[in-house]
């Protein structure tokens, strides 16, 4: 058991790391920041981050028993590896105040089967769902603008090593950004919005289980290697398409 004072504003890095018998904490309402690995490898099952909290550092809740997460409405970023190896986490709704999800945030959450990405999400890092073997479907919000662009030979792609089989892009999406589902070899189905006009380079490169796609009627351009090394057998290019790159 931990009794925090109401005056507490900061919990330092590694403060309670490895406290395996710690199953619950109540964070005070003036708390602003939580350091890296602060509660890593504890037995915490539920965490409510007060609205005063605006910074939670990497690995802070990694390898915990978390089943429920309530985010602060002041948080803008889920830091890298924040929930790495939370094996009891099965379902999660990320609130719309989260704009950025950094690399490997949910890596090895093997029982995670359902996640809702925020409607204002702007950036996702690489390997965010690596090792999430039960997560089969994902909806990508139209707000997404950026991901990591790996150097040649690097495998730092957004959804690589995930088990995603189906992706749906929110209606209103106009561009699919470069490399977004590159090398997701489990991907079998893509639902494109009618609003889509551009598919970026390497977007679905290496999706070897993808055997068919239906392209929307407003699509204008397809980037280089967009569907390279997939299993697609037939492709119909709508009359709206005027540019298909090498």
């Amino acid at each position: 058991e931990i009794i925090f004072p109401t005056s507490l504003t900061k919990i330092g890095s590694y403060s309670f790391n490895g406290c395996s018998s710690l199953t619950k904490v109540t964070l005070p309402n003036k708390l602003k920041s939580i350091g890296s690995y602060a509660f890593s490898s504890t037995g915490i099952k539920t965490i409510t981050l007060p609205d005063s909290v605006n910074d939670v550092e990497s690995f802070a809740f990694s390898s915990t028993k978390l089943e429920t997460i309530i985010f602060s409405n002041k948080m803008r970023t889920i830091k890298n590896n924040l929930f790495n190896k939370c094996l009891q986490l099965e379902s999660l709704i990320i609130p719309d105040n989260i704009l950025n999800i950094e690399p490997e945030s949910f890596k090895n959450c093997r029982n995670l089967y359902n996640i809702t990405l925020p409607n204002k999400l702007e950036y996702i890092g690489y390997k965010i769902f690596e090792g999430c073997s039960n997560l089969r479907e994902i909806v990508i919000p139209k707000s997404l603008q950026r991901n990591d662009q790996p150097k040649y030979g690097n495998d730092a792609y957004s959804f690589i090593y995930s088990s995603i089989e189906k992706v749906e892009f929110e209606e209103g999406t106009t561009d699919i950004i470069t490399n977004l589902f590159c090398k997701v070899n489990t991907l079998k189905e893509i639902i494109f919005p009618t609003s889509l006009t551009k598919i970026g380079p390497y977007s679905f490169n290496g999706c070897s289980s993808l055997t068919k796609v239906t392209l929307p009627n407003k699509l204008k351009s397809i980037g280089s290697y967009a569907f390279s090394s997939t299993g697609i057998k037939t492709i119909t290019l709508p009359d709206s398409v005027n540019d298909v790159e090498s």
Side-chain angles (χ1 to χ4, degrees):
E1 182 180 4
I2 306 170
I3 300 176
F4 292 114
T6 58
S7 56
L8 190 70
T9 60
K10 180 179 180 180
I11 296 174
S13 299
Y14 292 87
S15 293
F16 304 100
N17 177 45
C19 295
S20 56
S21 296
L22 183 65
T23 59
K24 61 180 180 179
V25 291
T26 301
L27 301 176
N29 288 329
K30 292 182 180 179
L31 186 67
K32 294 181 179 179
S33 67
I34 299 172
S36 58
Y37 292 91
F39 293 99
S40 180
S41 300
T42 63
I44 292 173
K45 296 180 179 179
T46 299
I47 193 68
T48 298
L49 298 168
D51 288 338
S52 55
V53 172
N54 56 32
D55 185 29
V56 183
E57 292 297 327
S58 59
F59 290 95
F61 294 100
S62 61
S63 300
T64 60
K65 306 292 185 183
L66 276 176
E67 299 172 358
T68 304
I69 304 163
I70 307 297
F71 291 89
S72 160
N73 64 20
K74 287 189 177 178
M75 283 182 66
R76 297 293 178 265
T77 300
I78 295 177
K79 295 289 181 70
N80 76 81
N81 290 282
L82 184 56
F83 301 108
N84 186 331
K85 208 174 182 180
C86 290
L87 299 182
Q88 272 65 50
L89 188 62
E90 295 183 354
S91 183
L92 183 64
I93 297 174
I94 304 176
D96 291 344
N97 53 280
I98 299 295
L99 306 180
N100 309 292
I101 301 177
E102 290 190 351
E104 301 179 331
S105 299
F106 298 95
K107 182 178 179 180
N108 293 326
C109 292
R110 291 198 291 267
N111 291 307
L112 182 67
Y113 71 89
N114 181 49
I115 191 163
T116 301
L117 298 177
N119 286 331
K120 296 181 180 179
L121 183 66
E122 296 177 359
Y123 160 77
I124 53 171
Y126 58 82
K127 301 181 185 178
I128 57 172
F129 297 119
E130 177 181 355
C132 296
S133 53
N134 282 294
L135 185 64
R136 304 296 168 83
E137 299 184 8
I138 194 83
V139 176
I140 304 298
K142 63 184 179 181
S143 57
L144 186 64
Q145 301 171 16
R146 297 179 292 112
N147 60 346
D148 291 316
Q149 301 301 318
K151 296 179 181 178
Y152 182 75
N154 197 329
D155 64 348
Y157 300 110
S158 299
F159 295 100
I160 196 170
Y161 307 135
S162 71
S163 296
I164 292 172
E165 296 179 359
K166 177 182 178 180
V167 57
E168 179 177 352
F169 291 89
E170 183 186 11
E171 192 62 47
T173 299
T174 57
D175 295 7
I176 295 176
I177 55 180
T178 301
N179 291 318
L180 187 58
F181 281 88
C182 188
K183 296 186 179 180
V184 182
N185 58 21
T186 54
L187 186 65
K188 297 178 181 178
E189 182 180 0
I190 307 168
I191 299 177
F192 293 115
T194 59
S195 55
L196 190 70
T197 59
K198 180 180 179 181
I199 296 174
Y202 292 88
S203 295
F204 303 99
N205 175 47
C207 295
S208 55
S209 296
L210 185 65
T211 58
K212 61 180 180 179
V213 291
T214 301
L215 300 176
N217 288 328
K218 293 181 181 178
L219 185 67
K220 294 181 179 179
S221 67
I222 300 173
S224 58
Y225 293 91
F227 293 100
S228 178
S229 301
T230 64
I232 292 174
K233 297 177 181 179
T234 301
I235 193 72
T236 299
L237 297 171
D239 290 340
S240 56
V241 173
N242 55 32
D243 184 26
V244 181
E245 294 295 329
S246 57

